[in-house]
Amino acid sequence: MFKKQMVLDDVILFRTGKPFNTTAVIKEITDDFDNSEDFPYFEVKEYENYYEFVYEMDKDDYVYGLGEQLGALNKRGKEYKLYSTDDPIHTPEKGSLYGSHPFAFIDGSKKFAFMIDFPGEIVFDIGYTHKDLMTVKVPSKDFDFYLFDIEDKYEVIKKYLELTGSPFVPPKWSWGFQQCRWSYPDADTINNIAESFRKDGIPCDAIYMDIDYMKDYKVFTVDEEKFPNFEDFAKNLKKDGFKLVPIIDPGVKIEDNYSVYEEGKENNYFCKDKDGEDFVAAVWPGLTHFPDFLNKEARKWWGEKYKFFTDKGIYSFWNDMNEPSIFYSLKGFNKLVEIGENLRGNEDMGIKSFLAKEQMFDMANNREDYKSFYHRADDGSTVNHDLVHNLYGYFMAKATVEEGFDNIIPNQRYLLLSRSSYLGHHRIATIWMGDNMSWWDHMLVQMRMLQSLNMAGFFYTGADVGGFGSNASPELVIRWMQLGAFTPLYRNHSALGTREQEPFAFDEETKDIMRDIIRLRYSLIPYSYSEYMKSVSELRPFIKPLHMDYEGKRVKEIEDQYMYGDSIMVAPVHTQNAKGRFVHLPGDDKWLCWVASKYDERKMSIYFPGDFYVDADLNEIPLFIKENKLITISEPMNYVGEKEIEEITVIGLVTDKAEFTYYEDDGETKDYQKGKFAEALITVEKEGNEYKFSVEKDEHENPETGETYELAIKRIKFEIYDEHGNIIENTIEI
Amino acid sequence: MFKKQMVLDDVILFRTGKPFNTTAVIKEITDDFDNSEDFPYFEVKEYENYYEFVYEMDKDDYVYGLGEQLGALNKRGKEYKLYSTDDPIHTPEKGSLYGSHPFAFIDGSKKFAFMIDFPGEIVFDIGYTHKDLMTVKVPSKDFDFYLFDIEDKYEVIKKYLELTGSPFVPPKWSWGFQQCRWSYPDADTINNIAESFRKDGIPCDAIYMDIDYMKDYKVFTVDEEKFPNFEDFAKNLKKDGFKLVPIIDPGVKIEDNYSVYEEGKENNYFCKDKDGEDFVAAVWPGLTHFPDFLNKEARKWWGEKYKFFTDKGIYSFWNDMNEPSIFYSLKGFNKLVEIGENLRGNEDMGIKSFLAKEQMFDMANNREDYKSFYHRADDGSTVNHDLVHNLYGYFMAKATVEEGFDNIIPNQRYLLLSRSSYLGHHRIATIWMGDNMSWWDHMLVQMRMLQSLNMAGFFYTGADVGGFGSNASPELVIRWMQLGAFTPLYRNHSALGTREQEPFAFDEETKDIMRDIIRLRYSLIPYSYSEYMKSVSELRPFIKPLHMDYEGKRVKEIEDQYMYGDSIMVAPVHTQNAKGRFVHLPGDDKWLCWVASKYDERKMSIYFPGDFYVDADLNEIPLFIKENKLITISEPMNYVGEKEIEEITVIGLVTDKAEFTYYEDDGETKDYQKGKFAEALITVEKEGNEYKFSVEKDEHENPETGETYELAIKRIKFEIYDEHGNIIENTIEI
């Protein structure tokens, strides 16, 4: 039985029972419900303990959404199990990853979307069992089902973000290049890495600290032997433009006199087992307890812990292992011991040995373990973890931000990556795409996921460039660095035991190509940052699948090209040994093609809509600038903010009129929210054979201080192409 | 130090030490060697226990070959370790599969090929460590290195096959559709499957029997409870056109009074451990011994065992598990027991638990186990398995064929699939591509491997259609059935615990589409079989990558289109939810495009060379018939040979002159080798605006009997297209 309420225009909430308050939705829901007799679009089947929603798809229906999932952008043809998990092998059949985002779009003969706010497992069978049926199973009688009875996908997303909150804005430096490795084991190594970047003239803004910086993997500690004078170390790096980003794991090592453990234990901040004892699970440090992030007191305690770092000028973090990942529980371990002990004398197992192996492997991230511990929710009730499983990473982020940063660094922007997430997480933090592999296929995985995640509100995200697990060839890393340059989070990361992937880990030519692509990335930041701030304020994805902007079944098949901002369509080469690729140019407009290698070498040509094979040598990535749209570039720097940007160059193919809003703020604080930012409206207009150029400043006043934020740019150069490929140049001093 | 000998024109053998006689090469090598001072193309580095061959690649060098490998067709950019292994997870980084084929082509500024006849591990680093270097490491001082100093790839392959033998010819029915499942547990199930095919009008020629037909997995037994009256069962199926294909595993169960075990033990036919005891390894039946196929006596014993089946009219088999796959050895097992027993009280392991897990998993197919047993070679010497590891599957096939079939069914053609293989294996048997997955990516894997394997002499091969492991969606199976229709071995197979994949396991529409594609396959057999027999006699691959027939870097990137025979280029759709695909049409000729769904619905159009997006609905696969080439089709049947083919239809785009040699023989025996076959040379010629049609019979005389083999076809219909797409029809009675 459902009751219903119109929560926004054409957004209807169907509620059954008493849903757990996930805080995914921040818009207030009143008690003003109507009884619901019918349910649009779906056949609703009620069973004893669960509901099934069945939708009959037309042959040409496309299904989008589900955020962080492997496989095609069009979700049809697979079964997805939304139960967040730390699965390190991203093979195509997997139906769960780290985050759960039950929000989907139907785009076909009927067009609508729906979001299910339920934090336990939801199963989406989308044309898998029967190719024309979508069946969604929610194993509960207490949840919220939001129906977006809206055809336009942009409008759906806008409403979704009005419900769940607008995407968070990381500092401007987070558009710089970021380097990671599991692990740089000590301060010397990190200093050497930093030095190599500067020595080689390769821009870089951040270096990550993976688990080995901690003392015995104890969260909120630093190993002082490996990192003596940690505060100075961090400050010196910062002077040189490097932000340090430490990893934070939830599992608290069980160790007497370790203050985090002692405080958590004393105050009952940890999750409990069925007997009320602190739940024990093994992760990196060995046996640990899990903080109960669903509990406000525990969140508050945890959030304040970040002060350890923020006091040292470190404001950015990656919260890891927060599905939560469990290597094993004591129960699982004991079962394993038993299996082990029963082996002796049973060597003639044959096929049964598979079963034993399976049992051994089931020890990790085992559903039975998730069912065996409990939370104390904010309202005082006790909740079994399994029913709220998908919330753990999101509530860890809430602890970090809402109970931490909001108090200790309230006006500071931060970059907060999390591995696990839920609906609403995008409002306060973001995610990276977890432990991918150095596989060519995983570049396509990243492109698809990037588009899906943007549709779920995660505008700023990215995958481990070059691939985390497995070994990367130089060619793979080059091609991935090109793709990564057109993803908001641009982080190269690789795992213990795999080949090093830093730009200087390869031959000279490879390094040179990587330097060029990173410098191209930096030169585009005036464009990227302006477009990102616009997309957040307008609640329109920054990365857009082509099907968001164009109609027709041809366009809906394109999953390896996407809009990066509103002006650039990217078509990365993602095939081994390829020296080019097929590209579909949609719509009726022409495209200015830039086969880009260096920011200051512009190999441009004009394309009409259609299908093409475009050459792109190993050092090149094909970019397509939309007709009558503009991009802005500047000289690259060693790191974001090294120098003020005083000059930008505006590039575009203009046949009529093109506008671009260039955006500036301090890049570090939240003052922009109070008006401390400035814009320049750049216009290029063709009238007959004449081009008119104009720039209109919009320098905002901070209502609190009365100060005006002044634009730093002084000079705008124009490099405009007409439809014959002729260049029209101009410069405006402002 | 190498000595050298010109073994064929432009084929130089470089020999070091005393190589093990692998019998890969059947051409006799004389003792007439010269000393070799220089080594062409390569820098040769000699170390204490191994050699390295280093070749500096140009930027635009392509590398082909290596037979059964995952990854791109152009092998550049990866490290390959040729050490045959039963790896059930075919993820892209894997550098070993079931077979080892150290035969590679350089195609670039220099063009040549090389083959290394060494049956231990060889490592090919092809532009992985350094993107422009190929380094081949052979860990021995006793091996043969054949250099093919020949530019033309067809010529290289011809010479390679002159050395190693021409590809084997399976019976004609092996061009039919074949159905497999791990497992159909009993005779009733198989009878039901067979009945379903006939009832649904879906052609099928073979049903496979996976491991569960055996009594306790004992090789050369049949479980009589599940298969009562096995002989009648097989005969009844055969009457209805179904060939049974049982699996044969090498591991012989250790069980008193089991005759195969008793005989092997008594006669010392099993591999020995270092103490001279029969080596023990666990596989399906539990603890087993491995027959020593490197020993002629053991081979002879094993080969005769197949009589158990051939006496019942069963002539086709799949030799499985012959890398050999080892679940565990006693040593490995005891180590595991120890680990298990040491766990108690050590639950605080943290990161160390990974190590324990790894050790557990290393139990299977462990290199230490392979180093721990020995063969008694034909020359009486004792050889450590590790040094000849890659021969085991090939020598099992030699036992089956040379010591078995050649004696017990000498004139009978057979289909013999093997999982493991080595150079030369193609001469007596073939392989399937092992345990793939129901992943979209694995359709591309299959296409690439199909082309590579053809270049290594495996003309007749294929992968498990629909994917073996993991669950398949209806769409995936449909698309894969389309691809599979254009691979010689057309076998649908799926694993225990996964979704059923038979055509009737899905909805009606899916079944209808599968029926149509299988019928299309059968209707093309007159073409496929004729072309296959031609390719074997001319030593030219049946499946050809485009780079074999066309020049230029553009063509060398095409890995998902290939020539099926000399007339058809196939371009299967292998992307989820796609309703078409990009196609590159190479060369200067036009192409007759058939977007094929049913054999008798010809949706034809004419394409000029270039790049195109071609529409192909779920039930369609794009085929391209080359200008001035012909194909022949007939009415499909329920199984190959159900009726005589009396009428064929010839289809092609003819703008000048086109010829096709249609081939017929009994399809079952080796009499064709003695001349018992007939051909019809079909010619269509355009002169001005007129078309001339002619058929020339070539009915051969059997020199032994004097009989003439007469053509069965009586009528040839022509459906010829001109360059404007007009159809010219004609019929010739012969």
Side-chain angles (χ1 to χ4, degrees), chain A residues 4-13 27 32-34:
Chain A
K4 69 178 177 183
Q5 177 174 161
M6 179 86 80
V7 289
L8 289 172
D9 284 354
D10 303 316
V11 180
I12 311 157
L13 161 59
K27 186 177 182 315
D32 198 12
F33 282 93
D34 294 328

Side-chain angles (χ1 to χ4, degrees), chain A residues 19-22 82-84 100 118-121 142 271 292-294 322-324 367 370-371 373-377 381-395 420-422:
Chain A
F20 185 85
N21 181 18
T22 65
L82 276 61
Y83 192 83
S84 299
S100 296
F118 172 71
E121 183 185 59
D142 300 289
C271 294
D292 185 359
F293 296 123
L294 268 65
N322 50 8
E323 294 72 24
R367 186 81 181 256
Y370 290 128
K371 286 180 179 169
F373 68 92
Y374 296 84
H375 299 276
R376 195 161 40 95
S381 62
T382 296
V383 189
N384 182 267
H385 176 77
D386 187 57
L387 293 172
V388 292
H389 173 74
N390 295 338
L391 289 179
Y392 197 76
Y394 169 45
F395 271 68
S420 188
S421 62
Y422 182 70

Side-chain angles (χ1 to χ4, degrees), chain B residues 104-358:
Chain B
F105 300 69
I106 309 300
D107 179 2
S109 55
K110 293 170 192 157
K111 291 173 199 286
F112 62 95
F114 63 103
M115 171 180 111
I116 302 173
D117 187 5
F118 173 71
E121 183 185 61
I122 306 178
V123 179
F124 287 76
D125 177 338
I126 308 180
Y128 162 68
T129 297
H130 188 293
K131 65 185 174 359
D132 300 323
L133 291 181
M134 171 168 72
T135 304
V136 182
K137 182 178 170 183
V138 186
S140 172
K141 293 287 178 98
D142 300 291
F143 60 90
D144 283 344
F145 186 115
Y146 293 84
L147 188 87
F148 298 74
D149 202 0
I150 299 169
E151 295 211 342
D152 180 69
K153 281 171 276 188
Y154 279 114
E155 193 55 29
V156 170
I157 292 170
K158 190 158 175 285
K159 290 277 165 62
Y160 163 76
L161 294 175
E162 284 172 19
L163 286 181
T164 59
S166 77
F168 101 123
V169 175
K172 190 174 181 185
W173 70 255
S174 64
W175 292 86
F177 176 66
Q178 307 175 36
Q179 184 65 56
C180 192
R181 169 89 180 166
W182 172 28
S183 283
Y184 300 125
D186 50 37
D188 285 348
T189 306
I190 292 181
N191 284 326
N192 285 338
I193 292 285
E195 204 182 305
S196 295
F197 275 106
R198 293 296 174 254
K199 185 172 57 80
D200 279 325
I202 302 173
C204 183
D205 259 275
I207 300 178
Y208 282 65
M209 297 169 71
D210 209 322
I211 52 174
D212 296 295
Y213 80 84
M214 293 179 270
K215 175 75 182 152
D216 301 333
Y217 308 116
K218 281 182 288 190
V219 62
F220 301 118
T221 70
V222 170
D223 188 321
E224 288 177 11
E225 270 182 48
K226 297 189 275 177
F227 293 88
N229 308 315
F230 182 66
E231 193 160 353
D232 291 346
F233 161 71
K235 280 187 183 150
N236 285 333
L237 280 170
K238 208 165 190 176
K239 254 186 253 164
D240 205 13
F242 289 100
K243 275 63 69 180
L244 278 179
V245 186
I247 201 167
I248 303 289
D249 288 342
V252 174
K253 185 171 176 62
I254 299 174
E255 185 181 281
D256 288 341
N257 302 319
Y258 164 42
S259 64
V260 184
Y261 163 74
E262 297 284 4
E263 292 164 19
K265 190 180 167 72
E266 190 174 313
N267 297 292
N268 283 309
Y269 291 150
F270 296 130
C271 294
K272 302 283 186 187
D273 66 19
K274 70 175 184 345
D275 303 319
E277 300 295 322
D278 291 338
F279 175 69
V280 179
V283 268
W284 296 120
L287 299 183
T288 69
H289 296 316
F290 288 148
D292 184 358
F293 296 122
L294 267 67
N295 179 268
K296 194 177 168 73
E297 292 309 309
R299 284 203 300 280
K300 211 168 137 47
W301 164 68
W302 186 266
E304 279 166 8
K305 291 276 162 234
Y306 287 81
K307 215 165 171 310
F308 177 83
F309 292 105
T310 57
D311 283 351
K312 300 173 179 67
I314 292 173
Y315 308 131
S316 293
F317 301 89
W318 45 324
N319 286 347
D320 196 20
M321 306 292 285
N322 50 8
E323 295 71 27
S325 180
I326 296 179
F327 293 172
Y328 52 86
S329 67
L330 288 184
K331 206 162 103 186
F333 191 84
N334 288 333
K335 207 161 119 189
L336 178 69
V337 171
E338 221 170 276
I339 295 168
E341 289 178 348
N342 286 335
L343 287 176
R344 189 171 292 282
N346 280 311
E347 63 272 13
D348 201 358
M349 300 176 91
I351 195 169
K352 282 184 220 122
S353 66
F354 283 94
L355 204 67
K357 270 193 194 181
E358 221 166 83

